[in-house]
Amino acid sequence: MVIPLMVPVVASAVSAVVSAGSATFAAIWPMHFARARRLEAEETARKMKNDLMEILIRVMLQNHLDELQQSAAEDSRRVEEARLAAEKKWFEGVRPECHPSEEDINRMKATYHYNPGFIHIAVVGSAGAGKSSFINAVRGLSTNHTMAAPAGIIETTRTVTRYPDPRPNSRTIWYDVPGSGTLEVPDWKYFNDMGLYIFDCIIVVIDNRFLDSDLAILRTCEQFKNIEAFLVRSKSDQHIKNMVSQKMGFDPWDPDSDMDDTTRSLFRLTRSQEHQRFIDETHQNVQINLEKENLPPKNVYIVCNDAMHQTVCTGKIHPTKTIDEAKLLDDVKEFTLKRLQLGCST
């Protein structure tokens, strides 16, 4: 048979193929092993590079964060140092100047609805000086009128409140400003915080005493050429009444007081004398305080709300209470007309 004779031949051929494959594998295997080692090394290097890059980024971010924190701390320190320096100067008698930025001016004008076609008058002063009552009287309103500003013995104004003048064709807007020198608004930052630098006119209302906060407002007004400042002594009728009662030893305005003709004559004389004394002492006190602060002389308008209200509503002066009400109204009107002619831009 042929098949048996072929077996050795096939076996020999298979052996030859296996021998050839072994030789080829032996030759190729080192190449594959070297390539695998190279790829593994490349992968390890890539991971190390990525890890190193991640560490580097973290370090850079941490350094940047540290710089930001340090910068913020330095800014905070500088702000605190500036605040303390300003307060120190204030207590030493050196008042910081007010220099609002353009952004501050625009922001406060938007807050107070500033309109260039109108005159904006801020009524300021210490707590309880009678600012709200003055605003009512100068607008011709009684305290119980629906458009009246709330008024009371204690400080009733907590935020700056806008009161348009109710008279026909009026171009004046009044602003009731919280009292200066309170715990809520210390006088050294009052002018800036209230944004008083945007107003066309500021009326400083004083009562019994001419306070440092009043002087601070007038001093700061001097820095702004666009601001007209008026000084008003309020509640003149109450002060004169107290002076007369003290001089006579009783309250002659008491309806139960029984006065004979001689006492009535003495009352009229005393009222006239104390009326003039109050005017003289008020002017003298104001000028002395202005001179102490190196401020220029300034007229002070002595008013009471009853007389102001009557003058505004009727054009007539009160027979016993009127002092400077008509003069103040005329001067404010004159300023208003001039400012409107020139334009209200600041």
Side-chain angles (χ1 to χ4, degrees):
M1 294 179 60
V2 177
I3 292 176
L5 294 175
M6 293 292 294
V7 171
V9 176
V10 172
S12 176
V14 170
S15 176
V17 171
V18 170
S19 297
S22 298
T24 302
F25 178 78
I28 294 175
W29 166 247
M31 296 174 60
H32 281 285
F33 182 75
R35 183 171 180 274
R37 292 292 299 274
R38 187 180 74 254
L39 292 175
E40 182 181 2
E42 290 176 353
E43 179 65 17
T44 301
R46 185 183 65 80
K47 288 183 178 180
M48 292 179 62
K49 181 180 179 181
N50 290 341
D51 292 342
L52 183 60
M53 185 62 69
E54 183 178 352
I55 293 173
L56 181 61
I57 291 174
R58 288 180 179 178
V59 171
M60 292 175 64
L61 289 175
Q62 185 61 47
N63 289 339
H64 184 59
L65 180 60
D66 292 341
E67 290 176 358
L68 290 177
Q69 290 176 339
Q70 183 178 1
S71 177
E74 291 177 354
D75 290 341
S76 178
R77 178 181 55 79
R78 283 193 293 267
V79 169
E80 180 65 13
E81 288 178 351
R83 183 185 69 81
L84 293 174
E87 290 185 2
K88 181 181 179 182
K89 288 182 178 180
W90 180 267
F91 288 116
E92 290 175 349
V94 181
R95 306 300 191 248
E97 292 190 355
C98 174
H99 297 291
S101 66
E102 192 69 26
E103 181 182 356
D104 291 332
I105 294 173
N106 292 333
R107 176 174 54 83
M108 296 310 298
K109 282 187 174 182
T111 299
Y112 295 149
H113 304 287
Y114 186 95
N115 186 333
F118 288 78
I119 296 298
H120 306 76
I121 301 178
V123 179
V124 304
S126 61
K131 300 180 298 296
S132 300
S133 297
F134 173 83
I135 288 178
N136 291 334
V138 82
R139 294 189 302 146
L141 302 179
S142 60
T143 55
N144 58 357
H145 194 281
T146 55
M147 296 178 63
I153 298 176
I154 62 173
E155 180 68 22
T156 56
T157 304
R158 297 299 180 186
T159 58
V160 177
T161 308
R162 189 175 187 267
Y163 292 102
D165 197 302
R167 287 167 290 189
N169 303 320
S170 174
R171 305 287 290 278
T172 303
I173 300 176
W174 302 85
Y175 290 80
D176 195 354
V177 183
S180 61
T182 63
L183 292 177
E184 291 83 1
V185 190
D187 53 12
W188 69 272
K189 57 187 300 189
Y190 180 82
F191 201 98
N192 276 359
D193 284 3
M194 295 294 105
L196 298 183
Y197 44 77
I198 67 104
F199 289 98
D200 304 295
C201 174
I202 293 177
I203 296 179
V204 180
V205 179
I206 62 175
D207 187 8
N208 282 321
R209 294 180 299 160
F210 203 2
L211 303 178
D212 287 343
S213 55
D214 304 320
L215 290 164
I217 294 170
L218 292 175
R219 184 185 302 104
T220 310
C221 285
E222 291 290 318
Q223 301 176 28
F224 296 87
K225 301 302 181 183
N226 60 291
I227 298 178
E228 185 77 14
F230 291 90
L231 182 59
V232 172
R233 175 72 187 269
S234 65
K235 306 178 184 179
S236 62
D237 55 337
Q238 296 179 24
H239 295 300
I240 294 172
K241 180 179 178 180
N242 292 337
M243 293 168 66
V244 172
S245 297
Q246 185 177 10
K247 189 73 172 287
M248 296 194 67
F250 69 97
D251 183 3
W253 283 271
D254 187 346
D256 295 330
S257 62
D258 186 13
M259 293 188 292
D260 55 25
D261 292 342
T262 302
T263 306
R264 287 193 187 92
S265 297
L266 178 60
F267 165 57
R268 287 192 291 269
L269 176 61
T270 303
R271 183 177 61 189
S272 176
Q273 292 174 342
E274 296 306 295
H275 181 276
Q276 189 59 49
R277 183 164 75 92
F278 175 75
I279 294 174
D280 294 341
E281 289 182 355
T282 297
H283 284 285
Q284 183 180 15
N285 177 60
V286 166
Q287 299 313 317
I288 288 175
N289 279 278
L290 291 174
E291 290 177 7
K292 285 181 179 179
E293 296 296 322
N294 295 319
L295 289 171
K298 197 170 196 63
N299 184 41
V300 54
Y301 300 86
I302 304 173
V303 305
C304 81
N305 293 328
D306 290 344
M308 178 68 75
H309 183 268
Q310 179 171 322
T311 303
V312 171
C313 294
T314 68
K316 299 178 181 180
I317 63 173
H318 194 282
T320 59
K321 295 183 178 180
T322 294
I323 301 179
D324 293 324
E325 291 81 5
K327 174 64 173 172
L328 174 62
L329 291 172
D330 289 343
D331 288 350
V332 171
K333 181 179 180 180
E334 181 182 358
F335 158 75
T336 299
L337 292 175
K338 286 183 179 179
R339 179 58 63 89
L340 287 172
Q341 290 173 356
L342 294 173
C344 302
S345 61
T346 59

